Amino acid sequence: MTAYTLKQAGAMLRSKQISAVELAQEYLAAIDVKNPAVNAYITLDQDKTLAEAKAADARIAEGNATALTGVPIAYKDIFCHTGWRTACSSKMLDNFVSPYTATVVQNLLDEGMVTLGRANMDEFAMGSTNETSFYGAAKNPWNTGHVPGGSSGGSAAVVAARLAPAALGSDTGGSIRQPASHCGITGIKPTYGIVSRFGMVAYASSFDQAGPMAQTAEDCAILLNAMAGFDERDSTSLEREKEDYTRELNQPLKGLKIGLPKEYFGTGNSADVQAALQAAVDLLKAQGAEMADVSLPQTELSIPAYYVLASAEASTNLSRYDGVRYGHRAAQFGNLEEMYGNTRAEGFGSEVKRRIMIGTYVLSHGYYDAYYLKAQKLRRLVANDFQTAFAQCDLILAPTAPTTAPKLDTLNHDPVQAYLSDIYTIAANLAGLPALTLPAGFGSDGLPIGVQLIGNHFSEAKILGAAHQMQLVSDWHTRMPV
Ligand code: GLN
């Protein structure tokens, strides 16, 4: 049974209880059996996986292994990886085999981690259900009639189904935290700028951040240590001293001030989500943490601000897919203009087209001031709210999503409802703040519920420490679908 945490897998490898090749084979066999029902992996290459595992075994034998050497991992289809199809779950890039590797992936390859395959996602990371994927929806391992969340739905599903000890995701407006919540796993979106965006297909560049997804906060801390760091190839990468994100794991919760934003605990949440939040509050209190009432008054503005700005950036970023240099090119066209038009009409799905149209509209002459500039100002107001709140508390406890995972083929018919369901996650992206989801209960439908811990800039170690302390005295993160 492939239920190992990343830490357990690492320990087994170093003590030679199992070889990296055997471990990879165990996972590949489980994937063979279970992946067809969840459609979480969209690209597998057993030869490549086993070659990496063999190299890891050689490194372990030489005695220069790290804590991660030989540990298998899955990558969201958004990360460029030499020799692997990097399609971002789009028809536009279905034929694109990357000639280079994203920095975060390279950092993990340098540790000797073993690539299991590429995880399904919403097309170009636009969506909240994984249903916009060109390769079909990924399913929720707890109930395959429900979505796993999105856009990193495949990454969340492979960890929940125990088809990988960990996975990388990306989070522009909640895409690590919301699927983590819907699948009952842990995931963190770091402070904007501490993890390189080089080689991660761009959606909305001022929001996009990669992050780890795993069973536990401790595993996320270990992975973040390997992922983070300055990268001169990313112009928004922050030049800071290397940090140890595991350093506060053993810090007791006593005296920690947890802010409860009144706008997040209202009528918008299902009764099950409210109950899970209350249980998290009780658990924190029992460990000696103190609760403080705080307010984030601009919460409602974050959705319009995000969907204007993210769409604007998406329309600019996606202009590169024109059929000229790489990716899909229409077979039929009369002239260059038609080639561009037909290529984009055929290559993009409808949600991506909707974002491009919104983005082009809000950036156009005459509307720029009314929409784009206004949204930038709202972004500042949302960010200021958090600074006021963090004067009164160390971390904020929040819901991740207002409900458990919806049924397949429901939310995808109602884009406005889907956008509204991002209410609790997008503010952290607007403000560039680190935020983590950890499992905190189950709904009456049997589906997992996660809660968020949001911190001030560069407080990853504190967030991960608090989440680890909560996981030491609860077992939600150990539950797995049958
Ligand atoms: N659901 C949000 C969107 O569609 C967030 C996606 C993301 O974080 N990549 O934009």
Side-chain angles (χ1 to χ4, degrees), residues 92-287:
M92 188 59 93
L93 290 174
D94 181 49
N95 64 2
F96 178 68
V97 175
S98 184
Y100 72 109
T101 298
T103 300
V104 282
V105 174
Q106 191 58 54
N107 289 347
L108 300 184
L109 290 171
D110 291 346
E111 295 279 327
M113 291 196 86
V114 174
T115 311
L116 283 173
R118 317 261 316 156
N120 205 348
M121 59 183 281
D122 279 299
E123 184 181 8
F124 285 107
M126 296 172 195
S128 307
T129 63
N130 214 298
E131 289 167 296
T132 70
S133 170
F134 175 61
Y135 304 105
K139 315 284 163 51
N140 192 312
W142 291 90
N143 181 338
T144 52
H146 289 249
V147 304
S151 68
S152 312
S155 298
V158 299
V159 175
R162 306 301 190 244
L163 299 180
L168 288 199
S170 70
D171 194 312
T172 304
S175 279
I176 287 176
R177 291 161 287 151
Q178 185 257 31
S181 176
H182 286 346
C183 289
I185 66 156
T186 308
I188 182 168
K189 177 204 95 72
T191 302
Y192 184 79
I194 69 159
V195 167
S196 171
R197 289 184 298 106
F198 177 78
M200 183 169 85
V201 177
Y203 161 15
S205 309
S206 76
F207 299 83
D208 299 343
Q209 271 293 277
M213 302 171 80
Q215 290 173 42
T216 66
E218 185 176 27
D219 281 359
C220 288
I222 296 168
L223 267 178
L224 193 57
N225 270 354
M227 291 168 70
F230 174 66
D231 181 6
E232 61 183 15
R233 289 171 301 181
D234 170 1
S235 62
T236 56
S237 174
L238 294 172
E239 213 164 345
R240 308 180 75 241
E241 231 172 83
K242 198 93 182 135
E243 268 188 60
D244 177 7
Y245 297 105
T246 66
R247 70 180 187 273
E248 292 194 34
L249 291 181
N250 297 320
Q251 183 75 33
L253 291 170
K254 196 164 166 38
L256 190 72
K257 265 219 162 129
I258 304 284
L260 308 175
K262 66 170 192 267
E263 294 79 5
Y264 285 16
F265 286 73
T267 49
N269 301 329
S270 74
D272 290 340
V273 168
Q274 280 296 117
L277 273 169
Q278 189 54 50
V281 168
D282 294 344
L283 190 150
L284 284 160
K285 275 189 185 162
Q287 299 301 304

Side-chain angles (χ1 to χ4, degrees), residues 94 300 320:
D94 181 49
E300 275 191 4
R320 76 191 70 191

Side-chain angles (χ1 to χ4, degrees), residues 29 94 99 105 130 144 150 165 190 242-243 250 286 294 304 339 348 352 357 364 399 427 431 436 462 466 468:
D94 181 49
V105 174
N130 214 298
T144 52
K242 198 93 182 135
E243 268 188 60
N250 297 320
V294 298
M339 192 281 280
F348 291 135
V352 172
M357 284 191 282
S364 58
L436 168 145
K462 189 181 288 301
H468 178 64

Side-chain angles (χ1 to χ4, degrees), residues 29-88:
I31 292 166
D32 251 1
V33 176
K34 290 197 200 158
N35 192 55
V38 287
N39 194 31
Y41 281 103
I42 52 174
T43 309
L44 294 158
D45 186 329
Q46 302 218 353
D47 293 344
K48 276 205 181 74
T49 299
L50 293 174
E52 284 183 15
K54 224 173 140 186
D57 278 332
R59 188 163 159 185
I60 293 167
E62 282 164 21
N64 63 3
T66 76
L68 294 172
T69 307
V71 178
I73 187 161
Y75 294 109
K76 184 177 183 177
D77 200 32
I78 201 167
F79 296 100
C80 285
H81 195 160
T82 305
W84 288 82
R85 181 182 67 184
T86 301
C88 228

